[in-house]
Short mmCIF file of all heavy atoms in Angstrom, two decimals:
data_model
loop_
_atom_site.label_atom_id
_atom_site.label_comp_id
_atom_site.label_asym_id
_atom_site.label_seq_id
_atom_site.Cartn_x
_atom_site.Cartn_y
_atom_site.Cartn_z
N HIS A 134 -10.44 8.40 6.11
CA HIS A 134 -11.28 9.55 5.77
C HIS A 134 -11.31 10.56 6.92
O HIS A 134 -11.07 10.22 8.07
CB HIS A 134 -12.70 9.09 5.44
CG HIS A 134 -12.78 8.33 4.15
ND1 HIS A 134 -12.46 8.92 2.95
CD2 HIS A 134 -13.13 7.05 3.89
CE1 HIS A 134 -12.62 8.01 2.00
NE2 HIS A 134 -13.01 6.87 2.54
N HIS A 158 -6.26 15.65 2.24
CA HIS A 158 -7.11 14.49 2.03
C HIS A 158 -8.21 14.80 1.02
O HIS A 158 -8.48 14.01 0.10
CB HIS A 158 -7.73 14.04 3.35
CG HIS A 158 -8.66 12.87 3.19
ND1 HIS A 158 -8.21 11.56 3.25
CD2 HIS A 158 -9.98 12.80 2.91
CE1 HIS A 158 -9.23 10.75 3.05
NE2 HIS A 158 -10.31 11.48 2.83
N CYS A 162 -9.60 12.83 -2.18
CA CYS A 162 -10.76 11.99 -1.89
C CYS A 162 -12.05 12.71 -2.24
O CYS A 162 -12.42 13.71 -1.62
CB CYS A 162 -10.75 11.59 -0.41
SG CYS A 162 -12.21 10.67 0.06
N CYS A 165 -14.95 12.70 0.64
CA CYS A 165 -14.83 13.67 1.71
C CYS A 165 -15.03 15.10 1.19
O CYS A 165 -15.54 15.96 1.88
CB CYS A 165 -13.47 13.56 2.40
SG CYS A 165 -13.39 12.12 3.50
ZN1 ZN B 402 -12.11 10.67 2.38
#
Side-chain angles (χ1 to χ4, degrees):
H134 290 297
H158 178 89
C162 176
C165 284

